[in-house]
Amino acid sequence: MCGIAGAIVTNNNSVSSHDIKRMIDSIAHRGPDDFGIYTHENFGMGHRRLAIIDLSSHGHQPMISSDGRYIISFNGEIYNFLELRGILQSKGYIFNSNTDTEVILNGYIEYQEKILNMLNGMFAFAIFDKKEKKLFIARDRYGIKPLYYKLDNSKLIFASEIKAIFKWNFIKKEIDYLALDEYLTFQNIFTDRTLYQGIKILKPGHYAIIKSDKNEIYFKQYKYWDYNLHSTDEKLSEKEASNELKRLFVQAVKRQLMSDVPLGAYLSGGMDSASIVAIASRSLNRLKTFTCGFDMTSVAGFEVGFDERLYAEMISNTYKTEQYEVVLHEGDLYEVIDDLVYHLDYPILGMSYSNFYISRLASKFVKVVLSGSGGDELFAGYPWRYYHVLGKYNKEDFINAYYNYWQRLVKDEEKQFLYNEEIRKKIPKYNAYEAFKSIFNDYDFPMKNNTDLINASLYFELKTFLHGLLIVEDKISMAHSLETRVPFLDNDLVDFAMKIPLKFKLKNFNKYQKIDENEIKKKEKFFETNIGKNILRNIMKQFIPNEIIQRKKQGFSSPDASWYRVKGKDYLLKYLNNPKNLCFYNILNKDFIIQTINNHFLGENKRLLLWSFLNLSRLDI
């Protein structure tokens, strides 16, 4: 796990090592073990190394091929690299290290872009071909590892984090108002935009080829993989599906235990992390586990169930893990908010400061940690969301219904009060809707029945909600030089999960009461369900205590709706009602923000919107 950065400019210009060093110095937290720089005429790239496999100097990057033609800078882990290495050795390739980096490099030389579909792991990498003066950049199927770029006619700059791109000469921070509108609608950015004008993220499951001449940079992006939730095998019996899923899940966890440094696991009170700990503990004695809890003395209402330490300790006791906990209190958010905003680069998704604390805790004991991300999106863990699209068999009706539901922060009709007049003119009326709709541009699968509609919902969540979670997880863990692995996103496991009929994932769905997640949170009630992920629950019965198997889904969250009303009130007023915050109020309507604060204190649950305002107010723009 590492940090990469680089640039290619037009042929009549050059890239200096000083330019590259400034970039990689800004992301030194991603790789404190080693660094390297390579430049050649109009190209340069750098690397910060977090050594996990082959800790020797043979793993130094950027790595150069034996003939000197190709140079790679790689961030990630490839779990099947030993298998691929054997294949390449049979073709005559000689290896000088025991790293997966060299496997990718030689694999690209042999197969070009076809190597991407052979890689089982998480990755973002760049390979430069000196002979062709061609740059190849790629990102893994699911978007576990991020890769950002800025493109114009004279240059392309890329990096693992946006802060590195801003270290390039004469690049200014300017807000992308269309991306801001996406964020303030969905608390996420669904397109490849970021909050900064001209800086984009390479899409998951995509690669790009960049060439240059004396006058221009040529960039072309290609898709090599996508989710296909309509490839279900209806001939599978539930027993056959369960047996194969269990085999693949155990295999996935064991694959991701490979490490030459200490490894641990996050442990909440939920089934996904418990499942990973249960399997990992069979291979590792005294596995180190990490839990985040919350002081509930000032918490009321639906948030009282957010502290899951009791269930985490139950799992820890069952598997004799070496358990570590951090307990957060009201006010702890404000101690890390500036560090958090800095490392995230731009706000995305919800209350992530608790993740920041638990990553910091884990980094004191291990260098690699396993996470349960992906289980809900693959196995239908959010049943209350799917009701909003039932019966919408026309694609346009489906999109309209789901769009109305996913406006999580500010709805379209409220935006006339949200933005200042000058900013409103810069945002097209249907900007957020078009961003939402674009997720389904290449979605050509049928919507003939409710199973089709729910699979379309899962597709949407995998492409957007999960992707956002993965970006946050990467930034927060790497802020502490910690590698996070996600066994649920093993290629073989994902491929099979997409073949499992929906009826095995969701049980008694037609008897479940329709609820509105946004409305319930607003009224500070709680939603619970245990009808999702049914097949996963069944296969884990032999491993996990029944109290965990039967627990109702709630998700990991901090009790900030309550905490904002205690010590948070003064802080919110200090930073969100501050006349010095000119950039913030040049964009957003101050009256709308103050009204949001007041509505929260009067009983509405505006914690997510307040979190978003707080993040935006701390940006250095």
Side-chain angles (χ1 to χ4, degrees):
M1 195 66 65
C2 307
I4 68 175
I8 183 170
V9 299
T10 48
N11 294 356
N12 56 341
N13 290 298
S14 62
V15 174
S16 77
S17 59
H18 298 291
D19 293 331
I20 302 299
K21 189 172 187 303
R22 280 198 309 273
M23 295 177 74
I24 62 170
D25 282 351
S26 71
I27 53 173
H29 50 274
R30 297 186 70 93
D33 297 330
D34 188 21
F35 78 93
I37 294 171
Y38 174 90
T39 59
H40 176 74
E41 298 176 352
N42 67 322
F43 174 78
M45 69 179 163
H47 188 86
R48 294 293 318 203
R49 186 184 183 201
L50 183 67
I52 305 295
I53 302 293
D54 189 349
L55 309 185
S56 74
S57 61
H58 294 297
H60 179 78
Q61 295 188 53
M63 186 178 286
I64 304 173
S65 63
S66 57
D67 63 0
R69 176 175 170 177
Y70 299 93
I71 304 92
I72 184 173
S73 187
F74 161 62
N75 170 31
E77 298 288 351
I78 306 300
Y79 305 115
N80 64 333
F81 81 97
L82 291 176
E83 302 162 38
L84 296 174
R85 177 185 171 120
I87 294 170
L88 291 165
Q89 284 175 325
S90 70
K91 293 179 176 291
Y93 286 87
I94 305 297
F95 287 83
N96 299 309
S97 73
N98 294 315
T99 65
D100 47 0
T101 306
E102 195 172 12
V103 170
I104 296 175
L105 180 59
N106 286 332
Y108 177 77
I109 294 169
E110 177 68 23
Y111 301 108
Q112 295 292 289
E113 71 275 3
K114 292 179 181 177
I115 188 61
L116 297 174
N117 281 310
M118 302 168 70
L119 301 175
N120 190 346
M122 52 185 180
F123 57 82
F125 65 83
I127 296 177
F128 182 63
D129 180 343
K130 283 171 60 176
K131 181 179 179 181
E132 297 288 337
K133 288 198 172 184
K134 178 178 75 173
L135 175 64
F136 179 90
I137 59 175
R139 197 163 171 226
D140 65 68
R141 290 178 170 194
Y142 320 110
I144 304 170
K145 305 315 298 175
L147 187 61
Y148 298 94
Y149 66 92
K150 180 172 178 59
L151 170 70
D152 59 36
N153 288 337
S154 63
K155 60 185 175 295
L156 178 128
I157 309 165
F158 64 91
S160 298
E161 298 185 15
I162 292 175
K163 59 182 64 66
I165 293 177
F166 282 126
K167 292 300 180 181
W168 193 264
N169 292 331
F170 309 117
I171 291 184
K172 297 180 180 179
K173 289 184 179 179
E174 297 181 67
I175 291 289
D176 183 328
Y177 295 113
L178 303 190
L180 177 67
D181 186 56
E182 287 184 53
Y183 173 71
L184 287 172
T185 306
F186 312 117
Q187 203 171 45
N188 202 344
I189 299 176
F190 291 166
T191 62
D192 60 354
R193 295 177 180 273
T194 70
L195 201 62
Y196 299 104
Q197 187 68 44
I199 297 180
K200 295 188 175 184
I201 189 168
L202 188 67
K203 295 177 182 179
H206 282 67
Y207 67 90
I209 296 174
I210 304 98
K211 296 182 178 180
S212 64
D213 62 21
K214 291 182 178 180
N215 302 307
E216 195 169 354
I217 299 291
Y218 302 93
F219 176 95
K220 188 67 182 286
Q221 188 172 184
Y222 304 86
K223 180 168 69 175
Y224 70 87
W225 187 87
D226 201 359
Y227 297 98
N228 181 3
L229 289 145
H230 291 271
S231 60
T232 55
D233 184 354
E234 298 297 333
K235 295 179 181 179
L236 271 178
S237 69
E238 189 164 10
K239 182 178 180 180
E240 290 171 332
S242 297
N243 288 340
E244 181 64 0
L245 179 60
K246 181 168 69 174
R247 183 187 74 82
L248 290 172
F249 180 70
V250 171
Q251 174 181 276
V253 175
K254 288 185 175 180
R255 271 179 180 163
Q256 298 198 18
L257 296 180
M258 67 170 198
S259 177
D260 293 333
V261 296
L263 177 147
Y266 291 134
L267 180 57
S268 68
M271 192 182 66
D272 295 341
S273 65
S275 299
I276 291 169
V277 167
I279 302 305
S281 295
R282 299 166 76 191
S283 299
L284 297 178
N285 185 41
R286 295 288 289 167
L287 176 71
K288 291 180 175 64
T289 51
F290 307 96
T291 298
C292 183
F294 306 102
D295 171 25
M296 291 295 171
T297 55
S298 61
V299 174
F302 80 125
E303 293 180 318
V304 294
F306 281 12
D307 186 30
E308 299 184 280
R309 281 176 290 166
L310 179 65
Y311 296 101
E313 288 166 5
M314 182 187 300
I315 294 296
S316 176
N317 289 335
T318 300
Y319 293 101
K320 308 298 184 228
T321 72
E322 189 176 314
Q323 170 77 343
Y324 297 91
E325 296 179 353
V326 58
V327 181
L328 300 187
H329 304 76
E330 55 184 296
D332 281 343
L333 158 63
Y334 313 113
E335 298 300 319
V336 298
I337 183 68
D338 287 328
D339 284 344
L340 178 61
V341 169
Y342 171 78
H343 282 289
L344 285 177
D345 279 327
Y346 60 100
I348 190 167
L349 293 190
M351 316 294 294
S352 53
Y353 73 92
S354 51
N355 306 72
F356 192 86
Y357 274 106
I358 193 172
S359 291
R360 188 170 72 181
L361 171 68
S363 70
K364 297 180 186 298
F365 299 93
V366 299
K367 214 169 180 178
V368 178
V369 68
L370 304 179
S371 163
S373 297
D376 287 312
E377 293 78 12
L378 283 171
F379 295 99
Y382 303 107
W384 56 85
R385 294 177 181 171
Y386 316 141
Y387 273 102
H388 296 272
V389 298
L390 297 189
K392 310 296 183 183
Y393 303 127
N394 177 281
K395 186 175 180 180
E396 185 175 349
D397 291 342
F398 170 91
I399 290 173
N400 289 338
Y402 225 26
Y403 174 68
N404 288 334
Y405 171 71
W406 277 96
Q407 294 178 73
R408 312 193 83 181
L409 294 185
V410 183
K411 294 187 179 296
D412 284 343
E413 58 266 26
E414 300 175 286
K415 289 178 182 175
Q416 61 179 313
F417 309 110
L418 171 66
Y419 298 116
N420 286 332
E421 184 176 355
E422 183 180 345
I423 302 303
R424 282 203 305 273
K425 295 176 182 177
K426 298 179 180 181
I427 302 173
K429 183 176 181 181
Y430 298 108
N431 172 66
Y433 177 79
E434 291 300 325
F436 187 97
K437 186 178 178 181
S438 70
I439 303 301
F440 297 96
N441 281 349
D442 299 327
Y443 193 84
D444 296 323
F445 299 106
M447 293 186 179
K448 296 180 180 179
N449 53 51
N450 285 335
T451 293
D452 291 341
L453 298 177
I454 294 172
N455 279 329
S457 299
L458 294 177
Y459 175 85
F460 171 81
E461 291 188 7
L462 287 161
K463 298 280 283 188
T464 59
F465 189 69
L466 177 62
H467 183 227
L469 289 174
L470 294 172
I471 291 174
V472 169
E473 203 158 68
D474 170 84
K475 300 286 187 63
I476 289 177
S477 62
M478 293 309 292
H480 301 101
S481 305
L482 179 72
E483 173 176 299
T484 301
R485 297 179 180 176
V486 279
F488 277 107
L489 298 183
D490 171 88
N491 286 2
D492 294 335
L493 180 59
V494 172
D495 289 344
F496 185 72
M498 292 190 294
K499 293 180 181 179
I500 297 174
L502 183 67
K503 60 186 177 183
F504 299 152
K505 299 177 183 179
L506 278 174
K507 287 285 186 174
N508 301 318
F509 184 63
N510 55 0
K511 297 180 182 178
Y512 187 65
Q513 181 182 359
K514 179 179 178 179
I515 59 177
D516 186 331
E517 175 185 0
N518 298 327
E519 189 62 28
I520 283 179
K521 284 182 176 179
K522 185 191 235 182
K523 294 180 178 178
E524 301 205 351
K525 295 182 179 179
F526 199 59
F527 49 91
E528 295 179 322
T529 176
N530 61 3
I531 69 169
K533 300 192 289 192
N534 186 71
I535 191 169
L536 191 60
R537 294 176 191 272
N538 287 341
I539 69 167
M540 295 310 298
K541 283 179 179 178
Q542 70 182 88
F543 303 110
I544 298 177
N546 193 56
E547 294 92 330
I548 304 298
I549 293 292
Q550 296 302 323
R551 275 199 76 201
K552 293 186 176 182
K553 170 69 182 173
Q554 70 173 49
F556 176 61
S557 185
S558 48
D560 291 279
S562 298
W563 285 351
Y564 275 153
R565 298 189 182 106
V566 190
K567 290 184 179 179
K569 181 174 183 178
D570 291 340
Y571 191 93
L572 287 168
L573 291 173
K574 176 182 178 181
Y575 285 99
L576 299 184
N577 188 22
N578 188 338
K580 294 181 180 179
N581 203 342
L582 295 178
C583 177
F584 193 43
Y585 288 128
N586 283 339
I587 299 171
L588 303 180
N589 188 324
K590 181 179 178 180
D591 291 339
F592 186 93
I593 294 168
I594 300 305
Q595 186 63 52
T596 300
I597 296 174
N598 291 335
N599 287 345
H600 186 79
F601 294 150
L602 290 172
E604 285 190 51
N605 187 356
K606 293 291 187 179
R607 70 185 184 99
L608 293 181
L609 184 53
L610 290 174
W611 164 264
S612 298
F613 287 155
L614 191 58
N615 273 250
L616 290 169
S617 75
R618 308 306 292 155
L619 288 177
D620 179 24
I621 300 176

